[in-house]
């Protein structure tokens, strides 16, 4: 299924990529991997989270192929360019990680962080006909007007053309449901991408549970949905920052090796 990206092998670490801002990004991204594993949002050694290297628009931090989310540490993350070369770290990215994430970072200025998972509830909604999210729950309203749907599943993303197609399907949205596949979440920071990933799965879980009753969903009226979304956006970046800080505190107590 998944396969390692075949391009250039890793080379020696570049001391210019070891500054405090890069270290902080490594720690934040590693925390997201670990908490995603705890919450069952990962799928084996597949799926990938990436972020642009601070101060660079041409390099990204991404997980190496062959390691589960639960094994990721700050130093295990790779720094790659958009041509597939590994500039720091041991290993190579998964092919689909490179072809999807590099193209998203390249084409979407807002996509500082890009999180792709097959998390179960959101993926289940991507397998259904029609709109994945029905605006019937408060948590779902966090994503009102921010989602796109890629209706055209085309197999594994093993070339730049497929990465470009997925990037184009997002059409500036922050969240994409990739039909028959999974989800992609992008954001201007690691914290905001994590916050969206977490609450997207919670919204999808609530909708799935509601649908399992066999009763009709009761959507929120459009004007209320729009107003609630605007309320949620007020201070949303600070809420996301605090959310990420909370998971780092938990991990420092219970899985401190994520900092290695």
């Amino acid at each position: 299924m998944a396969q390692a990206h075949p391009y250039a092998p890793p080379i020696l670490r570049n001391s210019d990529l070891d500054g405090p801002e890069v270290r902080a990004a490594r720690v934040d991204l590693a925390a997201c991997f670990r908490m995603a594993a705890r919450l069952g949002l990962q799928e084996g050694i597949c799926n990938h989270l990436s972020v642009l290297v601070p101060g660079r628009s041409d390099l990204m931090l991404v997980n190496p192929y062959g390691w589960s989310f639960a094994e990721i540490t700050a130093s295990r993350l790779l720094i790659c360019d958009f041509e597939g070369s590994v500039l720091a770290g041991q290993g190579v990215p998964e092919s689909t990680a490179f072809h999807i994430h590099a193209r998203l970072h390249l084409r979407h200025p807002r996509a500082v962080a890009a999180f792709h998972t097959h998390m179960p509830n959101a993926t289940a909604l991507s397998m259904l006909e029609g709109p994945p999210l029905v605006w019937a729950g408060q948590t779902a309203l966090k994503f009102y007007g921010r989602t796109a749907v890629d209706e055209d599943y085309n197999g594994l993303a093993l070339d730049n053309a497929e990465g470009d197609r997925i990037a184009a399907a997002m059409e500036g949205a922050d969240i994409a449901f990739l039909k028959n596949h999974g989800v992609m979440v992008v954001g201007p920071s690691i914290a905001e991408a994590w916050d969206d990933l977490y609450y997207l799965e919670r919204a999808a879980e609530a909708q799935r549970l509601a649908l399992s009753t066999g009763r009709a969903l009761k959507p929120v009226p459009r004007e209320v949905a729009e107003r609630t979304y605007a309320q949620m956006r007020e201070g949303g970046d600070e809420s996301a920052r605090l959310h990420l800080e909370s998971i780092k505190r938990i991990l420092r107590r219970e899985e401190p090796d994520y900092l290695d």
Side-chain angles (χ1 to χ4, degrees):
M1 189 166 110
Q3 51 188 291
H5 191 271
Y7 289 2
I11 62 175
L12 294 177
R13 291 181 63 85
N14 182 336
S15 60
D16 293 339
L17 301 178
D18 287 334
E21 289 187 348
V22 176
R23 169 63 184 173
R26 285 181 173 277
V27 168
D28 285 355
L29 192 58
C32 294
F33 278 107
R34 289 298 185 95
M35 189 54 71
R38 281 185 166 218
L39 297 174
L41 309 186
Q42 84 294 344
E43 187 168 68
I45 59 170
C46 304
N47 299 177
H48 4 88
L49 316 180
S50 67
V51 66
L52 291 176
V53 172
R56 300 291 297 262
S57 61
D58 59 337
L59 301 177
M60 65 179 177
L61 278 162
V62 68
N63 46 312
Y65 178 66
W67 299 86
S68 74
F69 280 19
E71 297 178 291
I72 295 298
T73 66
S75 63
R76 187 159 283 151
L77 294 166
L78 306 176
I79 292 180
C80 305
D81 66 19
F82 294 164
E83 301 303 320
S85 296
V86 177
L87 306 182
Q90 298 297 315
V92 293
E94 183 190 350
S95 286
T96 57
F98 169 73
H99 289 299
I100 295 174
H101 289 245
R103 307 312 290 179
L104 271 172
H105 289 306
L106 188 65
R107 292 177 61 115
H108 290 296
R110 180 174 168 76
V112 173
F115 289 7
H116 170 57
T117 74
H118 300 167
M119 53 191 188
N121 292 289
T123 298
L125 298 188
S126 80
M127 296 163 62
L128 303 176
E129 291 281 0
L133 277 180
V134 177
W135 311 110
Q138 178 172 286
T139 302
L141 299 181
K142 175 177 171 64
F143 307 104
Y144 192 80
R146 300 174 60 208
T147 63
V149 179
D150 175 14
E151 294 280 0
D152 302 314
Y153 178 68
N154 198 35
L156 298 184
L158 298 178
D159 54 44
N160 283 344
E162 182 62 9
D164 284 335
R165 191 194 65 76
I166 292 173
M170 292 198 73
E171 297 179 348
D174 297 328
I175 293 92
F177 283 89
L178 312 176
K179 283 295 184 87
N180 312 108
H181 183 179
V183 295
M184 175 63 75
V185 173
V186 302
S189 69
I190 294 171
E192 288 172 86
W194 166 257
D195 199 60
D196 278 347
L197 189 79
Y198 172 83
Y199 284 110
L200 181 65
E201 180 66 354
R202 295 291 289 175
E205 181 182 24
Q207 181 172 310
R208 180 183 61 80
L209 288 171
L211 288 169
S212 73
T213 68
R215 298 172 61 183
L217 296 177
K218 180 183 178 182
V220 174
R222 178 177 177 177
E223 61 276 11
V224 177
E226 291 174 347
R227 184 171 71 250
T228 306
Y229 162 73
Q231 291 172 330
M232 289 181 171
R233 294 300 281 177
E234 290 283 337
D237 54 346
E238 177 65 3
S239 179
R241 184 189 69 80
L242 293 173
H243 187 184
L244 181 56
E245 289 300 315
S246 76
I247 73 168
K248 289 193 291 183
R249 286 193 298 272
I250 292 168
L251 293 170
R252 279 196 297 270
R253 289 194 304 269
E254 301 176 10
E255 297 183 41
D257 65 308
Y258 92 95
L259 294 164
D260 293 350

